[in-house]
């Protein structure tokens, strides 16, 4: 069974940094594209970033490019999202998601990030 | 970037009703589209992949259709557990983009 457990969320001041992690189990982590998707309070889903199975290719939404960095450690079955220069509009629940072609996303339960002074 | 326009943004329906939700893509995405259901406080759940293929374990009252730029999610005979928000997602190209969501409420 696929399990994705996010951690690292919390309250941070505008301009601050936070690093999210996602511990994966129940599947061969190194074989799958992984993504972060967020949802602001009362808002819809927003794709944030994806990383290829090897980590060699990364993709970002325009809203976070240059501020966020996605990475993975296939030896530890862990996905990360380094978030710098955080803004109020980054306040959201951040979901870790496993992408499978022909099947779509499997989701973690999310971790909450609040950017506020 | 590919824009996804989902409609309606909300609808009220009764148990047993047939419900149709539409997503339009700003360019041809072939069948690179999925549908997700989300209930309050919960993570999204996969319903449909490749525009029309039903995820294992999803009731057959859910169906998807379309290709190119026009896609539809249909729920025949709406059940109490189907009241939720539904999103389409295109994965034809990065950035992946979601529709704005459709909240299905009880009439």
């Amino acid at each position: 069974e696929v399990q994705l457990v996010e951690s690292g969320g919390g309250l941070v001041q505008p301009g601050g940094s936070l690093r999210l992690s996602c511990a994966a189990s129940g599947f061969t982590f190194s074989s799958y594209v992984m993504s972060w998707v967020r949802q602001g309070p009362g808002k819809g889903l927003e794709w944030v970033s994806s990383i290829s199975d090897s980590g060699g290719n990364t993709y970002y939404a325009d809203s976070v490019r240059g501020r966020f960095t996605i990475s993975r450690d296939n030896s530890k079955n862990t996905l990360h999202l380094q978030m710098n220069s955080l803004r109020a509009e980054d306040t959201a629940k951040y979901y870790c998601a496993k992408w499978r072609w022909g099947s779509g996303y499997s989701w973690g339960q999310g971790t909450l990030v609040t950017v506020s002074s | 970037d590919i824009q996804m326009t989902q409609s309606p943004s909300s609808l009220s329906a009764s148990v047993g009703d047939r419900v149709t939700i539409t997503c339009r893509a700003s360019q041809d995405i072939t069948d690179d589209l999925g549908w997700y259901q989300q209930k309050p406080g919960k993570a999204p759940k996969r319903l449909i992949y490749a525009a029309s293929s039903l995820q294992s374990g999803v009731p057959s009252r859910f169906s998807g259709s379309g290709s190119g730029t026009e896609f539809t999610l249909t729920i025949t005979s709406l059940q109490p557990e189907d009241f939720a928000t539904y999103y389409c997602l295109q994965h034809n190209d990065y950035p992946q983009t979601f529709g704005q969501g459709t909240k299905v409420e009880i009439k």
Side-chain angles (χ1 to χ4, degrees):
Chain A
E1 179 191 359
V2 171
Q3 281 211 310
L4 300 167
V5 180
E6 302 93 337
S7 61
L11 175 64
V12 61
Q13 292 188 338
S17 297
L18 215 53
R19 189 191 196 208
L20 305 184
S21 296
C22 171
S25 61
F27 64 101
T28 305
F29 181 73
S30 59
S31 296
Y32 291 91
V33 170
M34 296 295 296
S35 300
W36 291 97
V37 176
R38 70 184 181 183
Q39 187 168 36
K43 297 190 176 180
L45 299 169
E46 180 187 12
W47 173 84
V48 173
S49 181
S50 293
I51 186 167
S52 63
D53 50 5
S54 67
N57 292 296
T58 57
Y59 308 88
Y60 297 96
D62 287 346
S63 57
V64 307
R65 186 176 291 111
R67 301 187 299 121
F68 289 12
T69 302
I70 191 171
S71 62
R72 64 191 298 162
D73 184 339
N74 285 346
S75 68
K76 296 182 178 179
N77 292 350
T78 304
L79 177 72
H80 300 288
L81 186 68
Q82 177 67 43
M83 304 186 296
N84 298 332
S85 303
L86 282 161
R87 307 166 179 166
E89 54 265 36
D90 296 318
T91 293
K93 178 175 279 190
Y94 285 73
Y95 292 100
C96 167
K98 164 184 168 280
W99 175 255
R100 181 178 178 184
W101 282 99
S103 167
Y105 279 120
S106 301
W107 305 76
Q109 288 307 304
T111 187
L112 191 59
V113 172
T114 303
V115 184
S116 175
S117 55
Chain B
D1 297 359
I2 299 171
Q3 310 301 319
M4 300 302 296
T5 303
Q6 186 173 339
S7 62
S9 56
S10 66
L11 65 90
S12 294
S14 301
V15 172
D17 283 354
R18 178 186 180 94
V19 167
T20 300
I21 300 168
T22 299
C23 264
R24 290 189 175 87
S26 59
Q27 63 189 68
D28 188 345
I29 60 169
T30 63
D31 65 350
D32 294 335
L33 183 115
W35 290 96
Y36 295 81
Q37 176 195 64
Q38 188 181 33
K39 296 183 179 179
K42 300 292 188 181
K45 172 188 172 184
R46 295 177 295 186
L47 295 177
I48 301 284
Y49 64 93
S52 60
S53 296
L54 194 67
Q55 290 285 354
S56 175
V58 174
S60 59
R61 62 180 179 273
F62 291 92
S63 64
S65 64
S67 66
T69 62
E70 294 265 342
F71 302 88
T72 299
L73 173 69
T74 300
I75 312 171
T76 58
S77 190
L78 197 67
Q79 297 301 299
E81 60 267 31
D82 301 335
F83 292 95
T85 301
Y86 295 83
Y87 296 91
C88 62
L89 168 68
Q90 74 78 18
H91 58 87
N92 180 262
D93 194 12
Y94 289 109
Q96 295 182 351
T97 42
F98 288 91
Q100 300 92 326
T102 297
K103 186 173 184 179
V104 176
E105 299 176 299
I106 301 173
K107 182 183 285 185

